[in-house]
Amino acid sequence: MKGLLKNLGLILILVGVVILLACSFTGNVNNNAILGSSVVLVVLGLISYIVINKKIAD
């Protein structure tokens, strides 16, 4: 469980990047809801990665 929690931020970042890549390859770059949600996932992944790993290290 600790390993999954430690990698939660990276998983969120990867999900956001996969959504962005899928939108790019399909040409669906005009849908702001999908693009916005993927950017939110990437940002939340970065924040959670930093916070979680800081708390685990302490």
Side-chain angles (χ1 to χ4, degrees), residues 5-6 46-58:
L5 185 65
K6 187 175 180 182
L46 285 170
I47 292 170
S48 65
Y49 180 77
I50 292 169
V51 170
I52 290 171
N53 284 326
K54 191 174 212 180
K55 289 190 182 225
I56 288 177
D58 291 341

Side-chain angles (χ1 to χ4, degrees), residues 1-20 37-38 40-50 52-53:
M1 186 69 182
K2 191 175 182 180
L4 180 64
L5 185 65
K6 187 175 180 182
N7 292 325
L8 179 66
L10 292 175
I11 293 169
L12 287 174
I13 292 170
L14 287 176
V15 169
V17 168
V18 167
I19 292 172
L20 285 173
S37 64
S38 63
V40 167
L41 281 174
V42 171
V43 171
L44 284 176
L46 285 170
I47 292 170
S48 65
Y49 180 77
I50 292 169
I52 290 171
N53 284 326

